[in-house]
Amino acid sequence: MRLTVGQVHRHVLALASLRSCFVLGDNLPLRMLSLPRAVRFHQTAWLGTETVQDKSASLTLASLEGQNKVEYGKKEKATRIGGPKPSSRASALKVKPKVSSFNSKPAKSTLPKSAVVKKTLKIDESLFSAKSFEELGLPPLLIDRLNKEGLSTPTEVQSAAIPIISQKHDAVIQSYTGSGKTLAYLLPILSEIGPLKRPTEQYGSDKRSGVEAVIVAPSRELGMQIVREVEKILGPNDKRLVQQLVGGANRSRQEEALKKNKPLIVVGTPGRISEISAGGKLHTHGCRFLVLDEVDQLLSFNYREDMHRILEHVGRKSGTSSRDILGPLARRSERQTILVSATIPFSVIRAARSWGHDPVLVRAMSVVPLDSITVPRPVLSQTDANPNSPSNSVNQAAVDSLPPSLEHYYCISKAQHKVDTLRRCIHALEAQTVIAFMNNTKPLKDVVFKLEARGMKATELHGDLGKLARSTVLKKFKDGEFRVLVTNELSARGLDVPECDLVINLDLPTDSTHYAHRAGRTGRLGRKGTVVTICEETETFVVRKMRKQLAVPIKPCEFTEGKLLVHNEEDVE
Ligand SMILES: Nc1ncnc2c1ncn2[C@@H]1O[C@H](COP(=O)(O)OP(=O)(O)OP(=O)(O)O)[C@@H](O)[C@H]1O
């Protein structure tokens, strides 16, 4: 492959950019198909972050389907679609966003800001006004189970996603942290498979005995949390129908359980799923659903080999070879692919297009076909220096992910006084359930020791602990045995501790996306929550930069005499 000087320059810049999002095998440029897989991944990682203006680089199987039309600079129209058969609807309607009991925030502009909707889309207003799970057409047995668990009203993103997934659309689900995305994909899946499914469902249950849904999550904790959510809905008699395949646990036992229990749903981390699948102990070719939870993280460079295997094998039509030119397209028809995250940068939209059949972007108040979203402005231009640039889809994704009910502050402290500041902050805010984030594992112990020495119950959670220790710590924290959980990035994504009322950044997050996911551990499902970043004087410029990127007021404050003292708010530039 030959590159011009300009292309090389862009590739180098792309590599240096914040995230190494990439487009996996199905979207490979045709000129790369003959390269060895490892090389292809490396190359596509480059091209994934490369400006999409490079037309030659976007020559993909997907682009041959005529999807990647580029239009710059116009404002997006938030047109919405929905209903059982979108194409059969007679007229296009505008939906007035409603404010539900779960969400006091009006729907934000969709990502990326510069995107353009090119089609006139048909919508079904009723899609966004469901007040109960019955109205969403869920089967009676499933509704009974939900009621038993005290769940009677769908959240907005559930109201939007459930009918769309039930109509067998491939979907990207984006909604802010703590808005109920897990049930938004689980409920339509459980309507189709397992003991709670629709009685009229045509896929004969007797014919299918293998795994029918694979759910992938980037961490063991999140994987286990999803398993518990499925078990909760299935009920005690049927919980063996979901099997966890997370790393760190005994692999042989997982393989035995697969053989013995014949689960319909497996939930796991990429490494363990692909390991067991490669060992021939997990058969997913007949699988109907593939869910990638925290998809933007799963598509990062770290998981590339495992994710490639999963995407290649799950729901693969038997008899098709990956060498067939139509292989990827044929495979896609065998499964529904559902991608989920609070932060959906444009690279995910692009990946979803290449894997899906007419995939749609589902958000709390809108459903938009992905092929109607055009690429953002080139990300490597001069204007990128302006973090508010609508072209910056990563920042925009972070903005969209913040729950409406959060208060953000920052407080200046010398490094050696940070733990004291943390204590004063907890007392001043009377916080009961606190998650404190740090960047490295080693200092966590020290912070826990200092807090405990001053009579504050604290514990640590990080990747160096074994699986059992991790789940025990988390359970005790959720049960209220500890007031403070000191942790690292491991807990930033997906972790659901509804009672968490305060998130502290003891170290600065690396970027606005990390800030948003950390912040999202509080203010879950419409609850109030506070985020306090404790930083040194020299680091305040980073906070100000994130404030700009996230477009939220992060106010300077102090904690004195047991009180929160908010300084003059600096304008959000
Ligand atoms: N319809 C509902 N009614 C009441 N509670 C709900 C409903 N849907 C979800 N929940 C609860 O809301 C909480 C947050 O849900 P969930 O973890 O799915 O959020 P999320 O959007 O996936 O967040 P994140 O982006 O942080 O992963 C959970 O405790 C869940 O059980």
Side-chain angles (χ1 to χ4, degrees):
M1 186 180 71
R2 283 199 163 174
L3 297 175
T4 65
V5 174
Q7 282 172 319
V8 170
H9 183 63
R10 279 201 300 279
H11 287 164
V12 171
L13 285 173
L15 268 183
S17 73
L18 282 177
R19 304 172 64 80
S20 56
C21 299
F22 62 95
V23 180
L24 287 170
D26 288 359
N27 201 28
L28 291 182
L30 292 179
R31 64 195 168 161
M32 284 186 177
L33 286 176
S34 59
L35 294 175
R37 181 175 293 170
V39 178
R40 281 185 348 221
F41 266 117
H42 197 61
Q43 304 282 15
T44 44
W46 279 22
L47 292 169
T49 44
E50 182 183 343
T51 161
V52 272
Q53 272 188 318
D54 184 346
K55 294 268 167 49
S56 64
S58 62
L59 181 62
T60 62
L61 287 175
S63 70
L64 290 178
E65 293 171 75
Q67 292 183 343
N68 273 343
K69 290 172 200 149
V70 180
E71 230 176 302
Y72 292 131
K74 292 183 197 166
K75 277 188 189 157
E76 177 189 14
K77 285 182 210 155
T79 319
R80 296 157 185 135
I81 62 156
K85 282 185 187 157
S87 55
S88 70
R89 301 268 154 184
S91 61
L93 301 167
K94 272 236 144 109
V95 178
K96 201 171 162 209
K98 285 195 197 94
V99 179
S100 85
S101 53
F102 294 107
N103 177 10
S104 58
K105 186 168 75 167
K108 282 189 176 176
S109 63
T110 53
L111 77 118
K113 268 187 178 164
S114 60
V116 179
V117 173
K118 293 174 302 200
K119 286 182 182 171
T120 306
L121 302 167
K122 317 272 181 359
I123 62 144
D124 178 356
E125 195 167 2
S126 65
L127 186 70
F128 304 99
S129 57
K131 294 281 187 307
S132 66
F133 288 114
E134 283 86 349
E135 287 177 52
L136 295 174
L138 294 181
L141 285 176
L142 181 53
I143 291 171
D144 278 357
R145 283 291 319 142
L146 289 171
N147 289 340
K148 281 197 180 111
E149 292 301 326
L151 301 164
S152 56
T153 314
T155 66
E156 285 178 340
V157 71
Q158 289 162 4
S159 294
I162 290 170
I164 288 292
I165 297 172
S166 300
Q167 290 156 29
K168 312 212 182 307
H169 278 282
D170 287 327
V172 177
I173 303 178
Q174 189 280 326
S175 179
Y176 56 83
T177 51
S179 57
K181 293 187 288 297
T182 315
L183 287 183
Y185 65 76
L186 280 184
L187 296 182
I189 292 176
L190 290 171
S191 301
E192 298 283 320
I193 64 177
L196 307 172
K197 72 181 177 188
R198 260 181 212 104
T200 54
E201 201 259 307
Q202 350 163 335
Y203 295 83
S205 56
D206 310 320
K207 284 183 200 155
R208 290 179 177 251
S209 56
V211 171
E212 297 200 38
V214 171
I215 301 171
V216 192
S219 72
R220 299 169 199 177
E221 281 67 24
L222 183 53
M224 292 306 298
Q225 192 175 286
I226 297 166
V227 168
R228 279 192 295 274
E229 198 87 349
V230 183
E231 287 177 344
K232 188 170 86 180
I233 306 298
L234 284 175
N237 296 336
D238 292 309
K239 61 185 201 174
R240 64 178 175 80
L241 294 176
V242 58
Q243 168 69 42
Q244 59 88 1
L245 298 180
V246 301
N250 187 304
R251 182 177 146 187
S252 319
R253 245 182 257 151
Q254 290 172 339
E255 291 174 351
E256 273 163 33
L258 280 174
K259 207 169 154 192
K260 185 168 158 235
N261 296 334
K262 302 204 177 348
L264 293 174
I265 302 174
V266 297
V267 184
T269 46
R272 184 52 60 91
I273 291 178
S274 97
E275 201 180 4
I276 295 183
S277 155
K281 301 281 169 56
L282 174 67
H283 304 285
T284 55
H285 286 186
C287 201
R288 293 165 56 191
F289 298 95
L290 174 64
V291 180
L292 308 186
D293 203 334
E294 306 293 345
V295 59
D296 51 328
Q297 193 176 7
L298 289 174
L299 297 192
S300 73
F301 207 68
N302 295 345
Y303 298 107
R304 67 197 179 283
E305 296 289 351
D306 296 327
M307 288 309 302
H308 191 276
R309 183 177 175 90
I310 291 167
L311 283 155
E312 280 252 304
H313 286 259
V314 173
R316 188 171 94 178
K317 196 176 188 174
S318 53
T320 54
S321 142
S322 59
R323 292 204 180 149
D324 293 347
I325 189 72
L326 282 177
L329 300 176
R331 279 200 302 280
R332 271 186 241 138
S333 66
E334 288 300 291
R335 66 158 196 244
Q336 230 176 309
T337 308
I338 302 162
L339 311 180
V340 185
S341 183
T343 45
I344 300 286
F346 194 76
S347 53
V348 169
I349 302 282
R350 189 168 34 197
R353 272 184 194 159
S354 70
W355 302 329
H357 273 314
D358 300 329
V360 291
L361 172 64
V362 181
R363 316 178 89 210
M365 298 295 285
S366 70
V367 180
V368 184
L370 287 194
D371 67 0
S372 71
I373 299 174
T374 54
V375 292
R377 291 165 198 271
V379 293
L380 301 174
S381 66
Q382 280 264 310
T383 55
D384 209 39
N386 171 10
N388 263 347
S389 160
S391 67
N392 195 329
S393 83
V394 173
N395 286 335
Q396 183 58 39
V399 171
D400 292 335
S401 75
L402 283 174
S405 48
L406 294 188
E407 292 281 344
H408 304 260
Y409 301 99
Y410 73 93
C411 172
I412 297 172
S413 167
K414 289 201 169 124
Q416 64 270 32
H417 298 147
K418 276 191 177 181
V419 180
D420 273 338
T421 311
L422 167 64
R423 276 182 47 251
R424 280 188 280 119
C425 168
I426 292 170
H427 285 309
L429 297 173
E430 294 175 6
Q432 299 308 315
T433 309
V434 182
I435 303 183
F437 284 99
M438 300 186 77
N439 292 342
N440 300 307
T441 306
K442 271 192 179 163
L444 298 182
K445 219 178 258 316
D446 197 37
V447 172
V448 170
F449 181 77
K450 284 180 182 165
L451 288 173
E452 290 266 321
R454 288 172 176 83
M456 192 170 274
K457 292 286 283 171
T459 186
E460 63 194 282
L461 181 66
H462 50 79
D464 290 354
L465 298 177
K467 181 178 172 281
L468 190 62
R470 274 156 70 164
S471 45
T472 309
V473 163
L474 207 48
K475 184 172 182 309
K476 285 185 173 174
F477 179 61
K478 285 185 177 182
D479 290 348
E481 283 189 39
F482 297 101
R483 191 170 181 184
V484 188
L485 180 76
V486 189
T487 185
N488 57 13
E489 227 49 49
L490 176 81
S491 312
R493 283 204 180 230
L495 195 71
D496 182 49
V497 185
E499 298 76 21
C500 175
D501 48 359
L502 175 63
V503 162
I504 300 274
N505 289 315
L506 272 179
D507 288 326
L508 286 175
T510 45
D511 57 32
S512 55
T513 303
H514 285 79
Y515 181 97
H517 282 281
R518 285 179 177 191
R521 295 320 97 210
T522 184
R524 315 263 311 152
L525 211 68
R527 294 177 180 89
K528 283 199 177 311
T530 308
V531 187
V532 178
T533 301
I534 300 176
C535 62
E536 294 183 61
E537 179 93 57
T538 51
E539 295 172 323
T540 52
F541 80 98
V542 182
V543 178
R544 281 196 281 267
K545 188 176 168 198
M546 277 191 295
R547 179 170 63 186
K548 246 185 192 177
Q549 290 172 335
L550 293 164
V552 289
I554 305 180
K555 301 168 210 160
C557 76
E558 267 185 75
F559 301 98
T560 39
E561 295 168 11
K563 291 211 171 70
L564 163 74
L565 223 77
V566 183
H567 291 299
N568 277 344
E569 195 178 324
E570 295 164 34
D571 290 336
V572 177
E573 293 131 277

